[in-house]
């Protein structure tokens, strides 16, 4: 079946602009995660959604970052007033439930000029 | 929170030799330890995982060992092949939140 998909694959924006990144999880997966991968670094947890429960936003680096998940499926990660340090690959993952294998999407490479 | 350290950061091996990557974690509550492989420009993919109720798990040429007392776990790849060249990440979790190591770039020399 189809895996996790993300769009756009690449995004170049100017400092100060807002961006929206989209994630389509695997159908039926109740858990959805966002991670950030900076150049040469490991993956940094950003936010977690599980069904209709309140999301775990503990990894969001600042209040410029927000995310939502509509209808328990598609998720969008929004970064307002982008800064150059926001440049990274943003990865989305989904899993059947909170303790099962996480399947990753291909990522969105964000470049802030 | 959990802190995962991974060594070495780069590893070059001759084709056919073994590769070993080691990780340590800080949170004794962690009970799930996956390893992900990420080829250049591709998404991370799970290659093997282990839970805290076992000490070792093997899948063909790949094995993972876990020492809960010392809070470290290792990935072993035997008979390395060129297609094993990639970045490998270890991670640890006590629930849903994975904490990742910084990654090991493995290069298999033909």
């Amino acid at each position: 079946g189809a895996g996790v998909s993300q769009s756009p694959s690449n995004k170049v924006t100017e400092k100060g602009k807002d961006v929206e990144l989209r994630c389509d999880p695997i159908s039926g997966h109740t858990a959805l995660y966002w991670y950030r991968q900076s150049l040469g670094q490991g993956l940094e947890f950003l936010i977690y959604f599980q069904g209709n429960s309140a999301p775990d936003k503990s990894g969001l680096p600042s209040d410029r970052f927000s995310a939502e998940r509509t209808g328990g499926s598609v998720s969008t990660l929004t970064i307002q007033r982008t800064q150059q340090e926001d440049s990274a690959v943003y990865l989305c993952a989904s899993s059947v439930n909170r303790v099962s294998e996480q399947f990753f999407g291909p990522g969105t490479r964000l470049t802030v000029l | 929170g959990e802190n995962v350290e991974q060594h070495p950061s780069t590893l070059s091996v001759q084709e056919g030799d073994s590769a070993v990557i080691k990780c340590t974690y800080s949170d004794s509550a962690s009970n799930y330890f996956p390893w992900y492989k990420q080829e250049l420009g591709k998404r991370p993919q799970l290659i093997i995982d282990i839970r805290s109720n076992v000490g070792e798990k093997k899948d063909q040429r790949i094995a993972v060992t876990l020492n809960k007392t010392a809070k470290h776990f290792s990935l072993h790849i035997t008979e390395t092949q060129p297609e094993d060249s990639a970045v490998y990440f270890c991670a640890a979790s006590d629930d849903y939140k994975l904490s990742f190591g910084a990654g090991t770039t493995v290069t298999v020399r033909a």
Side-chain angles (χ1 to χ4, degrees):
Chain A
V4 178
S5 61
Q6 293 185 243
S7 61
S9 55
N10 281 283
K11 177 70 177 179
V12 180
T13 190
E14 293 180 348
K15 177 181 173 181
K17 300 283 190 182
D18 297 352
V19 295
E20 270 194 5
L21 312 181
R22 176 187 168 106
C23 172
D24 284 84
I26 295 172
S27 177
H29 282 194
T30 63
L32 186 147
Y33 317 75
W34 283 96
Y35 294 89
R36 179 168 69 176
Q37 185 174 27
S38 300
L39 188 64
Q41 300 297 312
L43 284 71
E44 173 191 8
F45 169 82
L46 297 178
I47 189 169
Y48 161 76
F49 295 92
Q50 172 64 54
N52 296 320
S53 303
D56 176 354
K57 305 179 182 180
S58 61
L60 295 179
S62 78
D63 57 9
R64 296 186 296 105
F65 288 71
S66 63
E68 62 177 23
R69 188 179 186 190
T70 54
S73 181
V74 172
S75 177
T76 56
L77 176 69
T78 301
I79 308 173
Q80 296 179 308
R81 305 182 301 282
T82 53
Q83 304 294 312
Q84 288 184 332
E85 60 262 29
D86 299 336
S87 297
V89 176
Y90 290 82
L91 289 158
C92 174
S94 71
S95 60
V96 172
N97 56 48
R98 62 193 288 153
V99 293
S100 57
E101 176 185 354
Q102 295 183 25
F103 293 84
F104 283 84
T108 293
R109 181 175 298 278
L110 175 65
T111 303
V112 182
L113 301 177
Chain B
E2 176 66 274
N3 180 48
V4 178
E5 295 193 353
Q6 183 172 347
H7 300 280
S9 57
T10 61
L11 181 59
S12 180
V13 297
Q14 188 70 37
E15 182 177 357
D17 287 350
S18 295
V20 180
I21 304 170
K22 299 182 179 181
C23 290
T24 60
Y25 61 99
S26 61
D27 189 349
S28 57
S30 289
N31 55 22
Y32 176 59
F33 307 90
W35 286 87
Y36 282 84
K37 176 183 180 182
Q38 187 175 30
E39 297 178 20
L40 191 62
K42 301 287 183 64
R43 70 189 74 191
Q45 292 193 304
L46 181 74
I47 55 171
I48 195 167
D49 58 10
I50 191 168
R51 296 191 184 269
S52 59
N53 56 343
V54 297
E56 184 173 359
K57 184 176 179 181
K58 188 173 182 180
D59 183 3
Q60 299 183 351
R61 296 185 298 108
I62 294 174
V64 57
T65 58
L66 171 66
N67 183 328
K68 286 219 71 179
T69 302
K71 289 190 280 190
H72 67 70
F73 56 112
S74 301
L75 178 72
H76 304 252
I77 307 173
T78 59
E79 300 172 19
T80 53
Q81 301 170 4
E83 54 264 37
D84 295 329
S85 294
V87 180
Y88 292 80
F89 294 98
C90 64
S93 171
D94 68 346
D95 192 355
Y96 55 83
K97 188 186 300 184
L98 290 177
S99 297
F100 284 84
T104 297
T105 301
V106 174
T107 303
V108 180
R109 306 187 308 273

